[in-house]
């Protein structure tokens, strides 16, 4: 495929491993070629991470509709009973999640309640760092939680992950081969990705890293272009929204044959301190319709059974609404897990809203560190322990 444009990158010391949005960047010190045949064989499942940026309000997402405290804490923000989408005898969906009901009814959607971590921190920057690195509240790690996992994947493709929305986050580091793609896939593949070498401004080690990155970017983009040449059209309609484009790009890439260990998407902002009702409803609708379209497209292409979609957000929202028609930073919130082999249902206890902590928050029920460990050990079948060796979840995510 002929490249008709170019995009130069002039790295500084700080930006060398943090490449800008829209630029193909592979962060790696590992070889460009496939992992050695002697590497342990991991499951070929693709995990699609969906970041709900800003802190999603769990109580209006997964509504404990039988609890009087829910309505008392939210006199103006509660979802009226006649609008709720009942799931079981305790919980209901926000009406904007209508598009997820087919997945729920098919038993392919797991709802993990009140997911969080010990000693929660309500700062956006610090809490998302904890979720992205799988650190403890008082622990500071430099790499994303997936960075040390990827070399164990025995992935034969020239790329381990593609970030389609938001920052690298859980993929940040130096051990994985990660492409960052922001926007239109066709324009991305037509563009040349050029790293300008400005000798004298970088050390010899940094110059070698730039050369290595350039080689890896060239290989990754060339590989995607080869797949793109024989692409079959995706016949599913996705929402006309940036997040819908991200989901569409995943469907296209997987349909081409880019069956990577990880894709990452992002939607936001869910930081609804004021005027929450409309904003939250719109975001949930885009999320649900995009995920429904992705499910349909991956069923059509034969990839849905080998896919697991998982959401994450830095925290939930406080149960009591504030005086600005919104909610402030809270603690635990639900996590969505979807896929053709996901064991659907509700997991974790429903929190009793009459038992809030002294600062008006919920106490988390499921630890996200255990969720991550279950992805590593159950979904990918890797003999690898995350930092501090968390136990996996006390239940299975998959049917087999």
């Amino acid at each position: 495929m002929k490249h008709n444009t170019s995009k130069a990158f002039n790295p500084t010391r700080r930006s060398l491993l943090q490449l800008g949005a829209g630029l193909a960047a592979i962060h790696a010190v590992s070889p460009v070629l496939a992992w050695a045949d002697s590497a342990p064989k991991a499951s070929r499942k693709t995990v699609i991470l969906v970041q709900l940026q800003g802190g999603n309000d769990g109580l209006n997402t997964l509504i404990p509709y039988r609890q009087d405290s829910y309505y008392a804490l939210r006199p103006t923000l509660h979802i009226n009973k006649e609008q709720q989408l009942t799931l079981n005898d305790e919980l209901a969906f926000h009406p904007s999640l209508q598009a997820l009901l087919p997945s729920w009814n098919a038993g392919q959607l797991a709802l993990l309640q009140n997911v969080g971590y010990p000693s929660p921190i309500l700062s956006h920057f610090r809490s998302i760092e904890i979720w992205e690195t799988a650190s403890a509240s008082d622990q500071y790690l430099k790499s994303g939680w997936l960075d040390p996992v990827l070399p164990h994947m025995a992935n034969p493709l020239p790329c381990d992950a593609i970030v389609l929305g938001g920052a690298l986050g859980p993929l940040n580091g130096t051990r994985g081969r990660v492409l960052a793609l922001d926007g239109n896939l066709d324009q991305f593949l037509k563009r040349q990705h050029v790293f300008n070498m400005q000798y004298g401004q970088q050390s010899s080690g940094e110059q070698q890293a730039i050369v290595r990155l350039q080689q890896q970017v060239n290989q990754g983009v060339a590989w995607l272009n080869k797949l793109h040449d024989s692409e079959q059209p995706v016949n599913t309609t996705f929402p006309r929204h940036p997040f819908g484009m991200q989901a569409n790009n995943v469907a296209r890439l997987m349909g081409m044959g880019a069956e990577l260990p990880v894709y990452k998407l992002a939607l936001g902002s869910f930081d609804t301190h004021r005027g929450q009702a409309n904003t939250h409803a719109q975001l949930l609708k885009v999320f649900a319709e995009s995920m429904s379209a992705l499910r349909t497209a991956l069923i059509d292409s034969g990839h849905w059974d080998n896919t697991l979609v998982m959401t994450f957000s830095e925290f939930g929202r406080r149960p009591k609404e504030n005086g600005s028609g919104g909610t402030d930073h809270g603690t635990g919130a639900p996590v969505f897990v979807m896929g053709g082999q996901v064991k659907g249902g509700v997991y974790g206890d429903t929190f009793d809203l009459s038992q809030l902590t002294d600062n008006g928050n919920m106490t988390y029920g499921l630890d996200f560190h255990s969720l991550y460990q279950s992805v590593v050990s159950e979904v990918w079948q890797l003999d690898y322990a995350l930092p501090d060796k968390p136990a996996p979840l006390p239940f299975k995510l998959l049917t087999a």
Side-chain angles (χ1 to χ4, degrees):
M1 182 174 289
K2 189 174 182 180
H3 296 268
N4 53 19
T5 60
S6 65
K7 186 167 184 176
F9 174 57
N10 301 306
T12 64
R13 289 179 182 270
R14 293 189 65 183
S15 66
L16 180 60
L17 293 178
Q18 295 289 339
L19 306 182
L23 178 62
I26 299 181
H27 297 255
V29 294
S30 53
V32 177
L33 300 176
W35 300 112
D37 290 338
S38 60
K41 296 297 182 183
S43 164
R44 294 287 295 171
K45 280 189 168 46
T46 293
V47 172
I48 301 173
L49 298 176
V50 179
Q51 181 181 359
L52 304 180
Q53 297 170 313
N56 177 43
D57 177 28
L59 286 180
N60 274 15
T61 299
L62 193 57
I63 305 162
Y65 66 90
R66 287 193 179 276
Q67 295 193 39
D68 293 338
S69 296
Y70 166 70
Y71 304 95
L73 289 164
R74 300 187 167 199
T76 68
L77 277 184
H78 70 263
I79 305 301
N80 293 327
K81 289 185 177 180
E82 60 270 19
Q83 296 178 293
Q84 299 169 5
L85 305 175
T86 303
L87 301 175
N88 59 23
D89 59 2
E90 286 189 332
L91 300 167
F93 266 163
H94 189 289
S96 291
L97 296 175
Q98 173 81 39
L100 292 183
L101 288 180
S103 297
W104 172 257
N105 292 332
Q108 296 178 352
L109 172 59
L111 303 169
L112 279 57
Q113 294 197 86
N114 199 17
V115 182
Y117 57 91
S119 303
I121 294 176
L122 302 187
S123 157
H124 286 289
F125 302 105
R126 177 57 185 145
S127 193
I128 194 59
E129 181 180 55
I130 291 169
W131 276 81
E132 290 176 343
T133 63
S135 70
S137 294
D138 58 353
Q139 182 183 34
Y140 292 83
L141 302 176
K142 293 182 179 180
S143 298
W145 70 274
L146 287 169
D147 181 57
V149 177
L150 292 176
H152 296 268
M153 292 296 297
N155 175 25
L157 303 177
C159 180
D160 296 315
I162 295 180
V163 176
L164 295 144
L168 295 175
L171 292 157
N172 185 47
T174 60
R175 284 166 282 193
R177 303 165 297 171
V178 183
L179 284 170
L181 189 163
D182 186 11
N184 185 283
L185 175 60
D186 300 294
Q187 294 176 3
F188 170 86
L189 292 175
K190 291 177 182 178
R191 182 191 309 144
Q192 286 184 358
H193 303 280
V194 180
F195 297 77
N196 283 348
M197 298 286 288
Q198 295 188 352
Y199 293 98
Q201 296 187 19
Q202 288 89 32
S203 68
S204 61
E206 288 172 332
Q207 292 169 9
Q208 292 173 6
I210 296 169
V211 171
R212 186 164 58 246
L213 284 171
Q214 180 72 76
Q215 292 171 339
Q216 293 166 346
V217 166
N218 289 346
Q219 183 182 15
V221 174
W223 170 66
L224 289 178
N225 268 305
K226 185 176 180 180
L227 296 178
H228 187 239
D229 287 340
S230 57
E231 179 186 8
Q232 298 299 311
V234 172
N235 295 319
T236 305
T237 300
F238 285 77
R240 296 177 63 85
H241 184 277
F243 184 73
M245 178 182 289
Q246 293 175 34
N248 188 16
N249 283 339
V250 173
R252 291 180 60 190
L253 288 161
M254 292 185 68
M256 292 178 201
E259 300 168 1
L260 305 178
V262 181
Y263 285 92
K264 177 183 176 287
L265 290 65
L267 174 65
S269 170
F270 286 84
D271 194 22
T272 50
H273 288 282
R274 61 179 63 248
Q276 173 176 308
N278 290 335
T279 299
H280 195 231
Q282 292 167 6
L283 288 169
L284 290 181
K285 181 177 175 65
V286 169
F287 166 71
E289 292 181 353
S290 298
M291 292 300 96
S292 175
L294 180 61
R295 174 177 180 261
T296 299
L298 294 182
I299 289 173
D300 290 345
S301 66
H303 292 92
W304 184 239
D305 281 352
N306 288 321
T307 298
L308 182 138
V309 179
M310 182 176 76
T311 63
F312 71 101
S313 190
E314 58 259 51
F315 38 60
R317 315 298 297 184
R318 196 174 294 270
K320 183 178 177 59
E321 67 179 64
N322 61 29
S324 301
T327 52
D328 298 322
H329 300 175
T331 51
V335 165
F336 294 83
V337 180
M338 299 174 59
Q341 293 187 355
V342 165
K343 189 177 179 180
V346 176
Y347 297 89
D349 296 330
T350 302
F351 188 83
D352 183 350
L353 293 175
S354 68
Q355 302 297 318
L356 298 177
T357 63
D358 291 342
N359 63 3
N361 267 313
M362 300 186 295
T363 304
Y364 83 98
L366 296 173
D367 193 326
F368 82 84
H369 299 86
S370 294
L371 171 59
Y372 289 178
Q373 187 61 58
S374 287
V375 170
V376 172
S377 56
E378 181 190 355
V379 178
W380 283 329
Q381 300 175 20
L382 291 173
D383 184 16
Y384 179 86
L386 292 172
D388 295 333
K389 298 180 173 55
L393 293 169
F395 50 84
K396 295 295 184 181
L397 292 173
L398 305 179
T399 56

